[in-house]
Amino acid sequence: RAGPWGVCEETAILHGGFLLAARLTQPRPLRELRKADWPRVGPPITDALGEIGACCPSPLQHSLWKKEAVAIVWAKVLLPGPPAASLDQGWKEDGFFSVGRMIPDVNHTVLFELVKALGAPRLFVQLLLALPQDVHRGELEHLVEYIASETSPSDVGFFLDVWWEVMKHKEGQEDATVSTFSTLIRQHGCESSLDDGLQPPKRFKGDPGSLNDPPAATSLLTVLIEGLKQTYRSIALPRMRCYALANLVELLSVFSELEPEGSPLPVAEYLDKVSSVVSLWTSDTESQFHHRRLDEKVKEAERSMSLLSTTKLSREELFVGLEFLCSLLHAWGEELQGTLNSSEELCYESYRLLDVLTTFGKNLVCSSETRGLDVDETRIVLELTQITKGFLKEISTSLKSKDLDTSLVSSVAMTIIEQKLDRHVEMCSIFASEKTWPFSKDWVDCLVKSKALFQKPELVLKLLETLVNFAMSRQDKDGRELQMQVTKAIVECYTELLLTDKNKVISGVLASWGGPGLSLNLQVVMEGFQEDLNVTFNQITKSVSDEGLTRAVASVARLMLLYPEATVKQVCNLAVVNLGAHQFLAQILCSFPALSFLETHDDPGGPRSLVVRCLEEAVWGRLSTAREEEQFLEFLAFLMQPSSAAPLVSPAEVTKAFVLPYLKSDSAQIELSLQILSKVLGIQSRSEEHWIKSCHPFPLLLSLCKLLDGYTKYWHQPRDQLFPSLESKDLVLNILCQLCEVVRPETAPSPELWVQSLAWLHRKVASLDWTIGLRLKKLYGDHFKNEVPATLFEICTLPEDEWTSQPLPAYGPGSGLLAWMECCCVSTALRETMLTLLTVNVDNPEEVNLFSKGFLVALIQVFPWCSHSEWKRLTHVVENLLQRQVLHVPYTLEYVQYMPLLNLRPFACYLQFSVLFLRGFQLLCSSSCSTWLPAEAWLHVVQLYCGSLTDLLGSVKSAAGPPSHPAEDRTSTQEVSFICIQMFCHVLHVAAMLPDKGCSEPLVVVALEILSQYETFSSADTSPSNTLRRANERHFLESITDNVSDKALRGTLLQKLSKLGA
């Protein structure tokens, strides 16, 4: 077939039909056919089309051919035959030429009767509205005039069908036949033949004329109204009257200013209306849609529900139409009321009339209230309002509210979804949440087939809720199989969502069912879940990488949907036991901000974090190694402060869960709790109000103060009593300092409460060690003075506006230096203050001697209870006093064979330092103090001592400069070698005095360090006597080492000495 108008078998059959019809009209041609002649002339044409339909492989193909036949006939009506002179050219250039020559000339009678016979008003309107604007009005006028003459019931039905199709028509849905027809007519022009048995349509009364024609679309509407005016007296059947009134009312409502600007019908109401229409067509055997398939009925019902008013009647046209409607209701109203009330149920036309009249009545009331109407307009609107109200009032309520079959409504909804008809997206919401539809075979099939439409978080959530409700009511085998099938489909919908949408679903799951999620009521979720969980996380922990993060999050998202709590616990557990995987696993968790969900059930303490609870139940109390504790800390820190996501848990939640309940000296988790508290205090508050305010800051401060007080009795605590190690003391001190920084007056609800809280804390701390009050000075501010033992005033000039004395029985006469030294341990700032305020008369030898002896005694009293930071502060005090020559430490030559002819003055401080340590140990290890310290205290004391010697070695090295490049102004390497020998001897002396309690390891380390530094500097000496001196020094060191009683220490050092100079 060549081109859209090509000659083919079907056109040949059509040609034959028209030839037979032409013979029947002889001697008159077909173009003069009259309406009355059609029953005799028309059958050959309709039979030909029937024959074509029988040959078509499908109903769709048949429908297309009907449209093509009407288009050919209409084109033949509109296009006059070409003049004889153009025949030679026409067949070459005109695509319609061949088929057009096959069909004899016809008139509008043939066209209209053919369309009526085919029952195809829709295709007629499609072709009509494809015509140029100035043509389609004329064609509609032809139709109106044709219908108005010798009007039959079929004419009325056809006219009303065409009217209804005009209102339902939507632009942009033209197929190839319509487009081809439109193009043909526009190319050829359309001078209608006047010699076709019909006079040209007369202009209707009131037509403003060609120069001022209204817009074409509006013109069509007025033509339709005029057509009804001309034919309404011929409408006798109640059904047709309802049809005519419904058309007129809908036209005046939708295509005018009466149509309110607003949102469309709620989707549930829309579904009910579509279902009502389908139900009426199904039950009405006279309806043209009675035998149509469900999907065809639904599509047609949807068309009738979604009229588009692309144009509006003018105000004048509207009120002319309203007045006409008013007259029709007067004429037909009473009879129609009686007919409707006497019938058992509605037909589609009467249903539609009642529906549009109800809406129309509301629009009239709204219009009368909001629009400025003149007197005549007001009269018409009020009259119509009354008539409409009265008409509807007399109609039986049972007719207006017919109960719909639930199965039909669900079938209609599923058809809309599966066919993706109008509002199918909204229909998915009803489908997912309707309680009476789910889990029928059709429902499940629809979900599985159309699952792409349900890939929205709100729909997934509704489906899950429906699934859970079903699972709770059906526990049998068939029910479980359906659950499995639907669960699989929903999870597939969920899997396709973006991560942000997945989080919305998880949030909804947690809000509905808490931590257990779907597993709470959906047993099928638990089948194989644990195995799935293990396999998934085994794969994840084996491929820890940034590239694998997206893939891992996607895998975990599915598990998180089914059983959030178990999934989070698995992540928490693996984060602790899997070396190095904790940050990757924290990133995975932080990809689900929905997990910041706060649980409220069964918790008297108020809402608490799901993640924190999972950490408590899966990990807390089960950390068995330092590495696990470290990974737990880092994992927790990442959850509170992720690199590129919102925090999953807050510092306040962590503090309440892992710190406050365990901040007691006898708690097994106290050291880990302290580390956690230190971490959270380092996190900046995200709001103006610091998070610490919600964590009972003053009781928290008091707990820390009590811990510090416990450290003053550390070495005398019962052995079976739990207490944090002395290594944790610095951590407690740092935390207390941090808290004093963040707990400010602003964290209290009012200034009065702040003062009360300070007074409460001061009162509680008064019974603890006096130094604790000094540590709270930043918190106290000017509210309280520093309270110290009275004896401190004996050695310091303390300003009385800041300091006050308190009677402490433990601080009798001569204890001033002890109190002074304890103050130096409190903080760097207070240490500097104490050094400044210390009063020692260096011009009085007796006072200097007494001070130096008292200093040593006070030092060994403080030494064993010092943390590392406190001891460092004290060593700085010693260094300062030695440099100022306030502290007198005589240096004896007990480890010198010969008088050293060296310049030791630059190193005098270091030598005195080392000797001071030795004297301290001599005092500590003397008989008067031998029972003072328990066995475990000696290791701590030795560790502090060895740490100080390491620092001392570093200071000596810094003072001497690099040994390989001794400059002229640098001290000779011989001096450093001498100092190293002296320190080594002092270490061995201390080792010899110590009780045999396993303290040798740190001494071995520091002794080897000293020997290494000695070797470095002595090897750098380039003097001629260096070889001899080194041999003598080595011999001396070996002889000293030989006297060490500890075999392990002696053996290690002798081995090191044997390699010196080798």
Side-chain angles (χ1 to χ4, degrees), residues 770 774 777 784-789 792-793 796-806 819 823-824 829-831 833-834 837:
W770 64 273
L774 299 181
K777 181 59 182 171
F784 303 104
K785 293 181 180 181
N786 291 321
E787 298 172 358
V788 295
L792 182 60
F793 283 81
C796 281
T797 53
L798 299 173
E800 292 187 3
D801 58 333
E802 295 179 28
W803 299 77
T804 183
S805 64
Q806 58 176 340
C823 285
C824 290
L830 191 55
R831 178 194 68 192
T833 301
M834 289 294 104
L837 298 177

Side-chain angles (χ1 to χ4, degrees), residues 732-1036:
V732 177
L733 291 170
N734 287 335
I735 291 169
L736 189 64
C737 184
Q738 284 177 285
L739 272 174
C740 289
E741 290 282 348
V742 298
V743 178
R744 308 305 305 152
E746 303 83 57
T747 59
S750 67
E752 297 78 16
L753 192 59
W754 171 256
V755 173
Q756 290 173 20
S757 300
L758 284 180
W760 174 84
L761 183 63
H762 183 263
R763 191 167 60 253
K764 293 287 185 181
V765 168
S767 62
L768 307 179
D769 185 70
W770 64 273
T771 58
I772 293 170
L774 299 181
R775 297 184 187 279
L776 298 172
K777 181 59 182 171
K778 189 172 186 68
L779 188 72
Y780 287 160
D782 296 330
H783 290 279
F784 303 104
K785 293 181 180 181
N786 291 321
E787 298 172 358
V788 295
T791 53
L792 182 60
F793 283 81
E794 296 172 6
I795 63 164
C796 281
T797 53
L798 299 173
E800 292 187 3
D801 58 333
E802 295 179 28
W803 299 77
T804 183
S805 64
Q806 58 176 340
L808 295 170
Y811 289 80
S815 62
L817 259 180
L818 174 62
W820 180 84
M821 205 168 283
E822 287 180 286
C823 285
C824 290
C825 291
V826 168
S827 68
T828 303
L830 191 55
R831 178 194 68 192
E832 296 305 312
T833 301
M834 289 294 104
L835 285 170
T836 304
L837 298 177
L838 179 67
T839 55
V840 179
N841 185 3
V842 293
D843 296 328
N844 184 338
E846 186 178 354
E847 187 173 334
V848 172
N849 275 325
L850 281 172
F851 170 77
S852 299
K853 289 175 183 177
F855 185 89
L856 184 60
V857 172
L859 185 66
I860 65 162
Q861 283 180 277
V862 175
F863 187 12
W865 280 269
C866 280
S867 67
H868 286 278
S869 66
E870 290 173 324
W871 180 241
K872 277 190 178 292
R873 289 192 194 102
L874 277 186
T875 56
H876 177 84
V877 169
V878 173
E879 186 179 355
N880 179 279
L881 294 176
L882 287 172
Q883 287 174 346
R884 287 163 54 190
Q885 298 183 9
V886 174
L887 179 62
H888 177 59
V889 182
Y891 193 87
T892 58
L893 298 175
E894 53 195 302
Y895 293 110
V896 179
Q897 287 178 299
Y898 308 102
M899 178 65 67
L901 301 176
L902 301 169
N903 178 21
L904 297 175
R905 186 173 297 280
F907 300 97
C909 176
Y910 308 126
L911 287 168
Q912 288 175 300
F913 217 140
S914 185
V915 167
L916 182 66
F917 288 149
L918 176 61
R919 299 292 175 252
F921 273 99
Q922 285 174 327
L923 189 54
L924 267 177
C925 299
S926 65
S927 57
S928 59
C929 299
S930 60
T931 58
W932 187 43
L933 288 179
E936 57 270 20
W938 286 103
L939 178 61
H940 174 70
V941 169
V942 168
Q943 285 172 334
L944 291 181
Y945 166 60
C946 292
S948 296
L949 287 184
T950 300
D951 293 341
L952 199 59
L953 273 175
S955 299
V956 170
K957 187 176 178 180
S958 296
S964 54
H965 304 287
E968 292 180 8
D969 59 343
R970 296 284 180 91
T971 309
S972 170
T973 55
Q974 294 178 23
E975 280 79 355
V976 178
S977 300
F978 175 80
I979 293 165
C980 288
I981 292 170
Q982 294 300 299
M983 288 175 65
F984 180 79
C985 294
H986 294 161
V987 168
L988 295 189
H989 193 152
V990 168
M993 292 186 289
L994 289 173
D996 187 17
K997 301 294 181 184
C999 303
S1000 61
E1001 187 179 338
L1003 290 170
V1004 168
V1005 173
V1006 77
L1008 291 174
E1009 196 175 344
I1010 292 169
L1011 288 178
S1012 295
Q1013 188 147 324
Y1014 162 77
E1015 183 179 15
T1016 301
F1017 277 88
S1018 64
S1019 300
D1021 185 8
T1022 56
S1023 63
S1025 61
N1026 178 44
T1027 305
L1028 176 62
R1029 183 171 55 256
R1030 288 186 68 192
N1032 288 337
E1033 289 171 349
R1034 178 179 164 187
H1035 176 73
F1036 172 69

Side-chain angles (χ1 to χ4, degrees), residues 296 470 928:
E296 293 176 323
F470 176 79
S928 59

Side-chain angles (χ1 to χ4, degrees), residues 74 78 104 154 223 235 282 443 447 461 479 620 684 722 749 899:
W74 206 335
L78 291 173
S154 64
V223 170
I235 304 175
T282 304
W443 189 89
L447 174 62
L461 274 171
W620 188 251
Q684 293 296 317
L722 286 171
M899 178 65 67

